[in-house]
Amino acid sequence: MKKFFRYALTLVVIAVVISLGVLLWNRFYGEKQEIQFTTETIQRGKVASTISASGTVEPLELINVGAQVTGKIMNFGTDADGKEVDYCSRVTKGMLLAEIDEVLYDAALREANASKLQAEVKILSAIATLNQEQAKLALAEHNWVRAQELHPKGSFSKSDYDSAEAEYLVGKANVEVAQASLKQAEAQMEIAKAALVKAERNLSYCKIVSPIDGVIIDRRVSVGQTLVSSMSTSSIFLIAADLKKMQVWASVNEADIGSIKPGMAVVFTVDTFPDEEFIGTVSKVRLNATMSQNVVTYVVEIDTDNSNGRLIPYLTANVKFIKAQSDNVLYVSTAALRYRPAAELISPEYRDRLADYTGRGKRAVWVLGQDRLLRPVAVKTGISSGSTVEVSSPDLKEGMVIVNAHRILTIAAGKEDAKGAKESPFVNKPPTRVRNSAKAAKGQK
């Protein structure tokens, strides 16, 4: 019996020791849970409700200069800086851009001049012929009148009478023929004049001049290249009228186009200057829509000032149309307004009144107290930019710290937090390389 009690007592002692060991292990080396809050500060600034789109930077006016005659490019002109016309050359209206071989067109002009001289000679000849026929007609008319007077008196034979009448009628016909010849010569003169004007104009087309003041955006030919003018004019230069004023052509989804109005303020960035914002104004909403992959978009033209020359044509623009904007207001992140803490994290005095802060149509932000519990602050919301929201409340101040998220951290066995970390003596440690002091000393010698 004594032996049985001794065994029982031993088992009890062992159980007690094991229980104490487990308790001490959990106390010093067991897993712990800790709540970590993510915070932000209430800031003051600008909040804007925007519509996002993408587009390209375009010159305000773009002129495509072409060739109206066929021929070989002989040389380029000189730009405003005294250099040969090329990419980025500054040009003025009427300045020579390029010359086409004019030999054939000069010959055509001389031929047209010769044709005009021939027409002038024909007119003079026709006038002389007309004068001769009119003189003959006058004589025939005089003889005919006299024959009519003398024939009844028997002083004029019948044959002479008939001859006088025939000469008169022939003279009239000859005058009409001479008048027709004169008109034909005059018509040929007009044809010659038209051919001369055409030849002169074609010759002038051999000198390609700038129609506006601007900058050469593109040069599409080289010296020695032959241009072939057809129904579509050959393109030689692309000239931007004034790069101090630019446009952005933005593609806007059909769901947002109803909110875009002329005069609306716009801000945009370009990839080459990602930290710089440019300001513009909507000038026109084009009505011709385009469809791509069942998505309908409209092009919106945005005017912007480019006096500093930072923008260049065809940059990609990231556009934001400003629907509404508030300046110098308090704002928080949308995450802070969406945050809903668990009941055990809220200060007890507010747990029974959560509906006043989180009910339908209610908004609140959460402030962390000294006791590591949260208390709500009711706010009114205003304009939202998507990532930030305008808020107002008598209890809010700029720089106030609020909570927008939390997470529960589980601390592994044998470790605390980053400060004063402890490790279990039972956890295996990686082997360390111990240098033999004798070898080291020998190596130093």
Coordinates of all heavy atoms in Angstrom, one line a residue, residues 319-380:
V319 N -4.2 63.0 -69.0 CA -5.1 64.1 -68.8 C -6.1 63.9 -67.7 O -6.6 62.8 -67.5 CB -5.9 64.4 -70.1 CG1 -6.8 65.6 -70.0 CG2 -4.9 64.6 -71.3
K320 N -6.4 65.0 -66.9 CA -7.4 64.9 -65.9 C -8.3 66.2 -66.1 O -7.8 67.3 -66.0 CB -6.8 64.9 -64.5 CG -6.1 63.6 -64.1 CD -5.6 63.7 -62.7 CE -5.0 62.3 -62.3 NZ -4.5 62.4 -60.9
F321 N -9.6 65.9 -66.4 CA -10.5 67.0 -66.5 C -11.1 67.2 -65.1 O -11.6 66.3 -64.5 CB -11.7 66.6 -67.5 CG -11.2 66.3 -68.9 CD1 -10.9 65.0 -69.2 CD2 -11.2 67.3 -69.8 CE1 -10.4 64.7 -70.5 CE2 -10.8 67.0 -71.1 CZ -10.4 65.7 -71.5
I322 N -11.1 68.5 -64.7 CA -11.5 68.9 -63.3 C -13.0 69.2 -63.3 O -13.4 70.2 -63.9 CB -10.7 70.1 -62.8 CG1 -9.2 69.7 -62.8 CG2 -11.2 70.5 -61.4 CD1 -8.3 70.9 -62.4
K323 N -13.8 68.2 -62.7 CA -15.2 68.4 -62.6 C -15.5 69.4 -61.5 O -16.4 70.3 -61.6 CB -15.9 67.1 -62.4 CG -15.7 66.1 -63.5 CD -16.2 64.7 -63.2 CE -17.7 64.7 -62.8 NZ -18.2 63.4 -62.5
A324 N -14.9 69.2 -60.4 CA -15.1 70.1 -59.2 C -13.8 70.1 -58.4 O -13.0 69.2 -58.4 CB -16.2 69.6 -58.3
Q325 N -13.6 71.2 -57.7 CA -12.3 71.4 -56.9 C -12.5 72.2 -55.7 O -13.3 73.2 -55.7 CB -11.3 72.0 -57.8 CG -9.9 72.2 -57.2 CD -8.9 72.7 -58.2 OE1 -8.6 72.0 -59.1 NE2 -8.3 73.9 -57.9
S326 N -11.9 71.8 -54.6 CA -11.9 72.6 -53.3 C -10.4 72.9 -52.9 O -9.6 72.0 -52.9 CB -12.6 71.9 -52.2 OG -14.0 71.7 -52.5
D327 N -10.2 74.1 -52.6 CA -8.8 74.5 -52.2 C -8.7 74.7 -50.7 O -9.7 75.2 -50.1 CB -8.3 75.8 -53.0 CG -8.3 75.5 -54.5 OD1 -7.9 74.4 -54.9 OD2 -8.6 76.4 -55.2
N328 N -7.6 74.5 -50.1 CA -7.3 74.8 -48.7 C -8.3 74.1 -47.8 O -8.9 74.7 -46.9 CB -7.3 76.3 -48.5 CG -6.6 76.6 -47.1 OD1 -5.8 75.9 -46.6 ND2 -7.1 77.7 -46.6
V329 N -8.6 72.8 -48.0 CA -9.5 72.1 -47.2 C -8.8 70.9 -46.5 O -7.7 70.5 -47.0 CB -10.7 71.6 -48.0 CG1 -11.5 72.7 -48.5 CG2 -10.2 70.7 -49.2
L330 N -9.4 70.3 -45.5 CA -8.8 69.2 -44.8 C -9.2 67.9 -45.6 O -10.4 67.9 -46.1 CB -9.3 69.0 -43.4 CG -8.9 70.1 -42.4 CD1 -9.6 69.9 -41.1 CD2 -7.4 70.3 -42.3
Y331 N -8.3 67.0 -45.8 CA -8.7 65.8 -46.5 C -8.0 64.6 -45.9 O -6.9 64.7 -45.3 CB -8.4 65.9 -48.0 CG -6.9 66.0 -48.3 CD1 -6.1 64.9 -48.5 CD2 -6.3 67.3 -48.4 CE1 -4.7 65.1 -48.8 CE2 -5.0 67.5 -48.8 CZ -4.2 66.3 -49.0 OH -2.9 66.5 -49.3
V332 N -8.6 63.4 -46.1 CA -8.0 62.1 -45.6 C -8.1 61.1 -46.8 O -8.7 61.4 -47.8 CB -8.8 61.6 -44.4 CG1 -8.7 62.5 -43.2 CG2 -10.3 61.3 -44.8
S333 N -7.5 60.0 -46.6 CA -7.5 59.0 -47.6 C -8.9 58.3 -47.6 O -9.6 58.3 -46.6 CB -6.4 57.9 -47.4 OG -6.7 57.2 -46.2
T334 N -9.3 57.7 -48.7 CA -10.6 57.0 -48.8 C -10.5 55.7 -47.9 O -11.5 55.3 -47.3 CB -10.9 56.6 -50.2 OG1 -9.7 55.9 -50.8 CG2 -11.2 57.8 -51.1
A335 N -9.3 55.2 -47.7 CA -9.1 54.0 -46.8 C -9.5 54.4 -45.4 O -10.0 53.6 -44.6 CB -7.7 53.5 -46.9
A336 N -9.2 55.6 -44.9 CA -9.5 56.0 -43.6 C -11.0 56.1 -43.4 O -11.5 55.8 -42.3 CB -8.9 57.4 -43.3
L337 N -11.8 56.5 -44.4 CA -13.2 56.6 -44.3 C -13.9 55.2 -44.4 O -14.9 54.9 -43.8 CB -13.8 57.5 -45.3 CG -13.6 59.0 -45.1 CD1 -14.1 59.8 -46.3 CD2 -14.2 59.5 -43.8
R338 N -13.2 54.3 -45.1 CA -13.8 52.9 -45.2 C -13.4 52.0 -44.0 O -14.0 51.0 -43.8 CB -13.2 52.2 -46.5 CG -13.7 52.8 -47.8 CD -13.5 51.8 -48.9 NE -12.0 51.6 -49.1 CZ -11.2 52.2 -49.9 NH1 -11.7 53.2 -50.7 NH2 -10.0 51.9 -50.0
Y339 N -12.5 52.4 -43.2 CA -12.0 51.6 -42.1 C -13.1 51.4 -41.0 O -13.8 52.4 -40.6 CB -10.8 52.2 -41.4 CG -10.3 51.5 -40.2 CD1 -9.9 50.2 -40.3 CD2 -10.2 52.2 -39.0 CE1 -9.4 49.5 -39.1 CE2 -9.8 51.5 -37.8 CZ -9.4 50.2 -37.9 OH -8.9 49.5 -36.8
R340 N -13.4 50.2 -40.6 CA -14.3 49.8 -39.6 C -13.7 48.9 -38.6 O -13.4 47.7 -38.9 CB -15.6 49.1 -40.2 CG -16.4 50.0 -41.1 CD -17.1 51.1 -40.3 NE -18.0 51.9 -41.1 CZ -17.6 53.0 -41.7 NH1 -16.4 53.4 -41.6 NH2 -18.5 53.7 -42.5
P341 N -13.3 49.4 -37.4 CA -12.6 48.6 -36.4 C -13.5 47.6 -35.8 O -14.7 47.8 -35.7 CB -12.0 49.6 -35.4 CG -13.0 50.7 -35.5 CD -13.5 50.8 -36.9
A342 N -12.9 46.5 -35.2 CA -13.7 45.5 -34.4 C -14.1 46.2 -33.1 O -13.5 47.1 -32.6 CB -12.8 44.3 -34.2
A343 N -15.2 45.7 -32.6 CA -15.8 46.3 -31.4 C -14.9 46.3 -30.2 O -14.8 47.3 -29.4 CB -17.1 45.6 -31.0
E344 N -14.0 45.3 -30.1 CA -13.1 45.2 -28.9 C -12.0 46.2 -29.0 O -11.3 46.5 -28.0 CB -12.5 43.8 -28.8 CG -11.7 43.3 -30.0 CD -12.6 42.6 -31.0 OE1 -13.9 42.7 -30.9 OE2 -12.0 41.8 -31.8
L345 N -11.8 46.8 -30.2 CA -10.8 47.8 -30.4 C -11.3 49.2 -30.1 O -10.5 50.2 -30.0 CB -10.2 47.8 -31.8 CG -9.6 46.5 -32.2 CD1 -9.1 46.6 -33.7 CD2 -8.4 46.1 -31.3
I346 N -12.6 49.4 -29.9 CA -13.2 50.7 -29.7 C -13.4 51.0 -28.2 O -13.6 50.1 -27.4 CB -14.6 50.7 -30.4 CG1 -14.4 50.4 -31.9 CG2 -15.3 52.1 -30.2 CD1 -15.7 50.3 -32.6
S347 N -13.2 52.2 -27.8 CA -13.3 52.6 -26.4 C -14.7 52.3 -26.0 O -15.7 52.5 -26.7 CB -13.1 54.1 -26.3 OG -13.2 54.5 -25.0
P348 N -14.9 51.7 -24.8 CA -16.2 51.3 -24.3 C -17.3 52.3 -24.3 O -18.5 52.0 -24.6 CB -15.9 50.8 -22.8 CG -14.5 50.5 -22.8 CD -13.8 51.4 -23.8
E349 N -17.0 53.6 -24.1 CA -18.0 54.6 -24.1 C -18.7 54.8 -25.4 O -19.7 55.5 -25.5 CB -17.4 55.9 -23.6 CG -16.2 56.4 -24.4 CD -15.6 57.7 -23.9 OE1 -16.3 58.7 -23.7 OE2 -14.3 57.6 -23.6
Y350 N -18.0 54.3 -26.5 CA -18.6 54.5 -27.9 C -19.2 53.3 -28.4 O -19.9 53.3 -29.5 CB -17.5 55.1 -28.8 CG -17.0 56.4 -28.5 CD1 -15.8 56.5 -27.8 CD2 -17.7 57.6 -28.8 CE1 -15.3 57.8 -27.5 CE2 -17.2 58.8 -28.5 CZ -16.0 58.9 -27.8 OH -15.5 60.2 -27.5
R351 N -19.1 52.1 -27.8 CA -19.5 50.9 -28.4 C -21.0 50.8 -28.5 O -21.5 50.2 -29.4 CB -19.0 49.7 -27.5 CG -17.5 49.5 -27.6 CD -17.0 48.4 -26.7 NE -15.6 48.4 -26.6 CZ -14.9 47.6 -25.8 NH1 -15.5 46.8 -25.0 NH2 -13.5 47.6 -25.9
D352 N -21.8 51.5 -27.6 CA -23.2 51.4 -27.7 C -23.8 52.5 -28.6 O -25.0 52.5 -28.9 CB -23.8 51.6 -26.3 CG -23.4 50.5 -25.3 OD1 -23.2 49.4 -25.8 OD2 -23.4 50.7 -24.1
R353 N -22.9 53.4 -29.1 CA -23.4 54.4 -30.0 C -22.7 54.4 -31.4 O -22.6 55.4 -32.0 CB -23.1 55.8 -29.4 CG -23.9 56.0 -28.0 CD -23.7 57.4 -27.5 NE -22.4 57.7 -27.0 CZ -21.6 58.6 -27.6 NH1 -22.0 59.4 -28.6 NH2 -20.4 58.8 -27.1
L354 N -22.3 53.2 -31.8 CA -21.7 53.1 -33.1 C -22.5 53.5 -34.3 O -22.0 54.0 -35.3 CB -21.2 51.6 -33.3 CG -20.0 51.2 -32.5 CD1 -19.6 49.8 -32.8 CD2 -18.8 52.1 -32.7
A355 N -23.8 53.3 -34.1 CA -24.7 53.6 -35.2 C -24.7 55.1 -35.5 O -25.0 55.6 -36.7 CB -26.2 53.2 -34.9
D356 N -24.4 55.9 -34.5 CA -24.3 57.4 -34.7 C -23.1 57.8 -35.6 O -23.0 58.9 -36.1 CB -24.2 58.1 -33.4 CG -25.4 57.9 -32.5 OD1 -26.4 57.6 -33.1 OD2 -25.3 58.1 -31.3
Y357 N -22.1 56.8 -35.7 CA -20.9 57.1 -36.5 C -20.8 56.3 -37.7 O -20.1 56.7 -38.7 CB -19.7 56.9 -35.6 CG -19.7 57.8 -34.4 CD1 -20.2 57.3 -33.1 CD2 -19.2 59.1 -34.4 CE1 -20.2 58.1 -32.0 CE2 -19.2 59.9 -33.3 CZ -19.7 59.4 -32.1 OH -19.7 60.2 -31.0
T358 N -21.3 55.0 -37.7 CA -21.1 54.1 -38.8 C -22.4 53.7 -39.5 O -22.5 52.8 -40.3 CB -20.4 52.8 -38.3 OG1 -21.2 52.2 -37.3 CG2 -19.0 53.2 -37.8
G359 N -23.5 54.4 -39.1 CA -24.8 54.1 -39.7 C -24.9 54.5 -41.1 O -24.0 55.1 -41.7
R360 N -26.1 54.3 -41.7 CA -26.3 54.7 -43.1 C -26.2 56.2 -43.3 O -26.8 57.0 -42.6 CB -27.7 54.3 -43.5 CG -28.0 54.5 -45.0 CD -29.4 54.1 -45.3 NE -29.8 54.3 -46.7 CZ -29.4 53.5 -47.7 NH1 -28.8 52.3 -47.5 NH2 -29.8 53.8 -49.0
G361 N -25.3 56.6 -44.2 CA -25.1 58.0 -44.5 C -24.1 58.7 -43.5 O -23.9 59.9 -43.6
K362 N -23.6 57.9 -42.6 CA -22.7 58.5 -41.6 C -21.2 58.2 -42.0 O -20.9 57.2 -42.6 CB -22.9 57.8 -40.2 CG -24.3 58.0 -39.7 CD -24.7 59.4 -39.4 CE -26.1 59.5 -38.8 NZ -26.4 60.9 -38.4
R363 N -20.4 59.1 -41.6 CA -18.9 59.0 -41.9 C -18.2 59.4 -40.6 O -18.5 60.3 -39.9 CB -18.5 59.9 -43.1 CG -19.0 59.5 -44.4 CD -18.3 58.2 -44.9 NE -18.7 57.8 -46.2 CZ -19.7 57.1 -46.5 NH1 -20.5 56.6 -45.6 NH2 -20.0 56.8 -47.8
A364 N -17.1 58.6 -40.4 CA -16.3 58.9 -39.2 C -14.8 58.5 -39.5 O -14.5 57.6 -40.3 CB -16.8 58.1 -38.0
V365 N -13.9 59.1 -38.8 CA -12.5 58.7 -38.7 C -12.2 58.3 -37.3 O -12.9 58.7 -36.4 CB -11.6 59.9 -39.2 CG1 -11.8 60.2 -40.7 CG2 -11.8 61.1 -38.4
W366 N -11.1 57.5 -37.1 CA -10.9 56.9 -35.8 C -9.5 57.4 -35.3 O -8.5 57.4 -36.0 CB -10.9 55.4 -36.0 CG -12.2 54.9 -36.5 CD1 -12.6 54.8 -37.7 CD2 -13.3 54.5 -35.6 NE1 -13.9 54.3 -37.8 CE2 -14.3 54.1 -36.5 CE3 -13.5 54.4 -34.3 CZ2 -15.6 53.7 -36.1 CZ3 -14.7 53.9 -33.8 CH2 -15.7 53.6 -34.7
V367 N -9.6 57.9 -34.1 CA -8.4 58.4 -33.4 C -7.9 57.4 -32.3 O -8.8 56.9 -31.5 CB -8.7 59.8 -32.8 CG1 -7.4 60.3 -32.1 CG2 -9.1 60.8 -33.8
L368 N -6.6 57.1 -32.2 CA -6.1 56.2 -31.3 C -5.7 56.9 -30.0 O -5.0 57.9 -30.0 CB -4.8 55.5 -31.9 CG -4.2 54.4 -31.0 CD1 -5.2 53.2 -30.9 CD2 -2.9 53.9 -31.7
G369 N -6.3 56.4 -28.9 CA -6.1 57.0 -27.6 C -4.9 56.4 -26.9 O -4.2 55.5 -27.4
Q370 N -4.6 57.0 -25.7 CA -3.4 56.5 -24.9 C -3.6 55.1 -24.5 O -2.6 54.4 -24.2 CB -3.2 57.5 -23.7 CG -2.9 58.9 -24.1 CD -1.5 59.0 -24.7 OE1 -0.6 58.2 -24.5 NE2 -1.3 60.1 -25.5
D371 N -4.8 54.7 -24.3 CA -5.1 53.3 -23.9 C -5.1 52.3 -25.0 O -5.6 51.2 -24.8 CB -6.5 53.3 -23.1 CG -7.6 53.9 -24.0 OD1 -7.3 54.3 -25.1 OD2 -8.7 54.0 -23.5
R372 N -4.7 52.7 -26.2 CA -4.6 51.9 -27.3 C -6.0 51.5 -27.8 O -6.2 50.4 -28.5 CB -3.8 50.6 -27.1 CG -2.3 50.9 -26.7 CD -1.5 51.4 -27.8 NE -1.3 50.4 -28.9 CZ -0.7 50.6 -30.0 NH1 -0.3 51.8 -30.3 NH2 -0.6 49.6 -30.9
L373 N -7.0 52.3 -27.5 CA -8.4 52.0 -28.0 C -8.8 53.2 -28.9 O -8.3 54.3 -28.7 CB -9.4 51.9 -26.8 CG -9.2 50.7 -25.9 CD1 -10.1 50.7 -24.7 CD2 -9.4 49.4 -26.7
L374 N -9.7 52.9 -29.7 CA -10.1 53.9 -30.8 C -11.4 54.7 -30.4 O -12.3 54.1 -29.8 CB -10.3 53.2 -32.1 CG -9.1 52.4 -32.7 CD1 -9.6 51.6 -33.9 CD2 -8.0 53.4 -33.0
R375 N -11.4 55.9 -30.7 CA -12.6 56.7 -30.5 C -13.0 57.4 -31.9 O -12.1 57.8 -32.6 CB -12.5 57.8 -29.5 CG -11.4 58.8 -29.7 CD -11.3 59.8 -28.6 NE -10.3 60.8 -28.9 CZ -10.6 62.0 -29.6 NH1 -11.8 62.2 -30.0 NH2 -9.6 62.8 -29.8
P376 N -14.3 57.4 -32.2 CA -14.7 57.9 -33.5 C -14.8 59.4 -33.5 O -15.2 60.0 -32.5 CB -16.0 57.2 -33.8 CG -16.6 57.0 -32.4 CD -15.4 56.8 -31.5
V377 N -14.6 60.1 -34.7 CA -14.9 61.5 -34.8 C -15.8 61.6 -36.1 O -15.4 61.3 -37.2 CB -13.6 62.3 -35.0 CG1 -14.0 63.8 -35.3 CG2 -12.7 62.2 -33.8
A378 N -17.0 62.1 -35.9 CA -17.9 62.2 -37.0 C -17.5 63.3 -37.9 O -17.0 64.4 -37.5 CB -19.4 62.5 -36.5
V379 N -17.6 63.1 -39.2 CA -17.1 64.1 -40.2 C -18.2 64.2 -41.3 O -19.0 63.3 -41.6 CB -15.8 63.7 -40.8 CG1 -14.7 63.7 -39.8 CG2 -15.8 62.4 -41.6
K380 N -18.1 65.3 -42.0 CA -18.9 65.5 -43.2 C -17.9 65.4 -44.4 O -16.8 66.0 -44.4 CB -19.6 66.8 -43.2 CG -20.7 66.9 -42.2 CD -21.5 68.3 -42.3 CE -22.6 68.3 -41.3 NZ -23.3 69.6 -41.4

